[in-house]
Structures are given as structure tokens and as C-alpha cells.
Amino acid sequence: MAATATGLFFLRTSAFSFPSKHHSVTLFHNKVHSFPLRAANLEGSEIEGKEEVGVSEKKKIFVAGATGNTGKRIVEQLLAKGFAVKAGVLDIDKAKSTLPGQNPHLQIVKADVTEGSARLADAIGNDSDAVICATGYRRSLDFFAPWKVDNFGTVNLVEACRTLGVKRFLLVSSILVNGAAMGQLLNPAYVFLNVLGLTLIAKLQAEQYIRKSGINYTIIRPGGLRNDPPQGNIVMEQEDTLYEGSISRDQVAEVAVEALLHPESHYKVVEIVARTDAPKRSFKELFGSIKQH
């Protein structure tokens, strides 16, 4: 099963507005995975760098789903910030025409998250300092496609990191993944996306696996994704807070890259949208406003 880097749903959830209720509802227990959890170093290494001058010693970041609409923006912004990038893609030829060409700090490798953690470990290699997962399933008649990519594929990446000793992991997920617990079962966006293979539930199960793995994570839940340039400033909220709103993919990529530069992002789930009436805030302030759970 192929995986593309769409990151999250395209539906603009700002069209829907329902009251948010914060009560706990468990859809089902996470019995999908039976991977053994080894003891992990919870301290996790920070990716060091300065926003003004980039990264003095180039840290290499592996990006899964690097040719997707969000993934390619992450690659571009990582390179602009001074990182080296290893782009994990399904189609090497497509990647060469999609990603920045002739860049000595960009390496393109074949990587399919559905093919297991061992092959992914080979693709990530022992020279990657962090992994960003920006994958998303390719729409098909296969009802299990979201689980193969957004659930099992993400778990495969986490296990590959654990095998290699990569301690930093970022996931681009989606708002409303925990819609049931938010009282949003009837939100049209939540209903629509789960009709298509229980997509949001698959993402939520993957998030839960990451949070139990011991890896130093940042889970980014954007609102409805826009391909147009940013409009408004970034609003960042606690998990299970936002149920409407949209954001430019450029801003999602920016949040992912800045998460590597700010230790305030460690072990956190953040939800993001953009609003024209929102004040401009630094990323240190944005990430610092979110509590760890």
C-alpha cells in the first residue's frame, strides 16, 4: 500500500461549528499493536540551532512523506534553516522533480512506511538526528488504507527510531482525532473522515502509541489544510481543544521545523490553526503555553 504525504484531511473544518464538550469517551482499547516496549531514555536529545543563523553543525532530519503537499514544505523549510535532510519517498523520480534540486544537503531515499520497521531503519540510517512523519494514506477503495499508513506506518517509524536510537520524533496529525472525547461525534468533518476508513481513529491510535513509546515527541494537530500562503497568525492550543479552523501548509511546516529548535515543544501535543485577529507570538511563547501530559 502506497503512502503519500498529505499529512491530514483537506476538508476545511471552519465550515462547521459545534459546542465543544470535554468529557472522556473511549471508542475502543488500543489492541491493534503488540510491539514490546523497551525501556527508553525519556530525556531525549534536543536538536540544537539558532533561528538567526541556522544550524552550526548540520543536523540531519529524516522526513517521511517528503513529496506530499505538507512534507515538501517541511523539507524546504528545514533546508532554509540550515538542516540537512534525508527525504523518505515512494517515487524517487517524482521526488527529484518535486524537491529542491542540486542541494548538497538533501538526500533522497526510498521509504514506504507500510513495509515494516526494519526496512525503514535502513532508510533512516544511523546518521539521522530526528524523524518527522508527514505521511497520509492515498485515497483508494481499500478501507484499511488509513490503518496501513496512518496507524501501522507511523508505528513502524517509531519502532525504527527505537532500533536506531533516534530520540526525537515529530508527527503531523489532525485536529478532531479525539473528537469522540470532545463531544464532536456529530461534527460533519469528524463523521466524514471516519467514514473513509476510520481515518481519525487510526491517527489517534498512532498518537497513543507514540506517547507510550518513551520517545521525545511533538504531535502537531493542524486544522483544515490550505495550499495558499499564510493568512493570519498561528493559534496554538492544548490537545482536544480546537474543532474548527484552517491553516496554511506553510505554517504547519514552520511549526514542525521550529519544534526542533525549541525544547518547549518536547513531549507535547499541540493543535494549530491560523486566525487573522490573532496576535503574533514567538514560537518559544507558543510552545511554552502548552502543558505536558
Side-chain angles (χ1 to χ4, degrees):
M1 169 55 62
T4 58
T6 53
L8 54 82
F9 60 91
F10 65 92
L11 187 64
R12 181 165 178 166
T13 56
S14 58
F16 310 106
S17 177
F18 290 84
S20 176
K21 301 177 182 177
H22 296 271
H23 58 273
S24 177
V25 178
T26 302
L27 294 181
F28 51 81
H29 295 291
N30 186 5
K31 298 181 179 178
V32 179
H33 312 299
S34 59
F35 301 96
L37 293 179
R38 300 187 301 275
N41 182 356
L42 294 178
E43 295 181 354
S45 60
E46 176 185 348
I47 305 297
E48 298 178 354
K50 294 185 179 296
E51 295 182 66
E52 295 82 3
V53 297
V55 180
S56 56
E57 292 185 7
K58 288 189 180 295
K59 303 293 184 179
K60 182 172 287 185
I61 312 301
F62 181 89
V63 180
T67 55
N69 287 326
T70 301
K72 66 182 179 182
R73 288 168 167 83
I74 292 174
V75 170
E76 291 166 355
Q77 293 198 32
L78 283 169
L79 292 171
K81 279 288 187 180
F83 289 97
V85 177
K86 184 178 287 188
V89 303
L90 292 175
D91 188 329
I92 298 290
D93 291 333
K94 175 184 177 181
K96 289 179 179 179
S97 63
T98 301
L99 299 175
Q102 305 303 316
N103 191 312
H105 303 298
L106 172 63
Q107 179 184 0
I108 300 172
V109 297
K110 179 71 177 294
D112 186 337
V113 297
T114 68
E115 291 185 347
S117 62
R119 289 193 178 184
L120 283 174
D122 290 338
I124 294 170
N126 58 10
D127 57 347
S128 295
D129 297 282
V131 168
I132 299 177
C133 178
T135 58
Y137 80 98
R138 181 175 297 163
R139 297 184 186 280
S140 69
L141 297 178
D142 184 356
F143 182 83
F144 296 102
W147 289 88
K148 293 175 182 177
V149 177
D150 294 325
N151 187 287
F152 297 120
T154 302
V155 168
N156 287 337
L157 277 172
V158 172
E159 286 303 300
C161 287
R162 286 153 59 87
T163 297
L164 295 167
V166 177
K167 297 173 182 174
R168 192 75 173 98
F169 189 91
L170 281 72
L171 171 69
V172 178
S173 184
S174 170
I175 64 170
L176 279 176
V177 293
N178 204 20
M182 297 171 64
Q184 294 294 314
L185 280 171
L186 299 181
N187 185 314
Y190 185 78
V191 173
F192 175 76
L193 289 162
N194 280 321
V195 165
L196 301 175
L198 301 178
T199 304
L200 294 180
I201 297 174
K203 289 178 181 290
L204 178 62
Q205 295 289 303
E207 286 189 14
Q208 292 172 346
Y209 190 89
I210 293 168
R211 296 171 76 165
K212 294 176 181 177
S213 70
I215 201 166
N216 182 348
Y217 66 85
T218 303
I219 296 171
I220 302 166
R221 296 178 177 176
L225 293 175
R226 300 194 311 262
N227 291 323
D228 53 304
Q231 298 176 13
N233 293 320
I234 294 171
V235 174
M236 186 176 290
E237 299 286 354
Q238 297 283 148
E239 61 181 298
D240 303 341
T241 298
L242 298 175
Y243 56 91
E244 63 176 2
S246 61
I247 189 168
S248 168
R249 292 181 189 271
D250 293 321
Q251 289 170 305
V252 177
E254 186 179 12
V255 171
V257 175
E258 292 293 337
L260 295 174
L261 299 170
H262 292 86
E264 293 86 359
S265 70
H266 292 184
Y267 301 102
K268 291 183 178 180
V269 178
V270 302
E271 299 190 340
I272 55 173
V273 295
R275 294 175 183 157
T276 55
D277 59 348
K280 178 73 173 178
R281 303 171 68 191
S282 69
F283 281 98
K284 179 180 178 68
E285 183 182 2
L286 286 169
F287 286 119
S289 69
I290 306 301
K291 298 178 180 179
Q292 291 182 345
H293 289 280

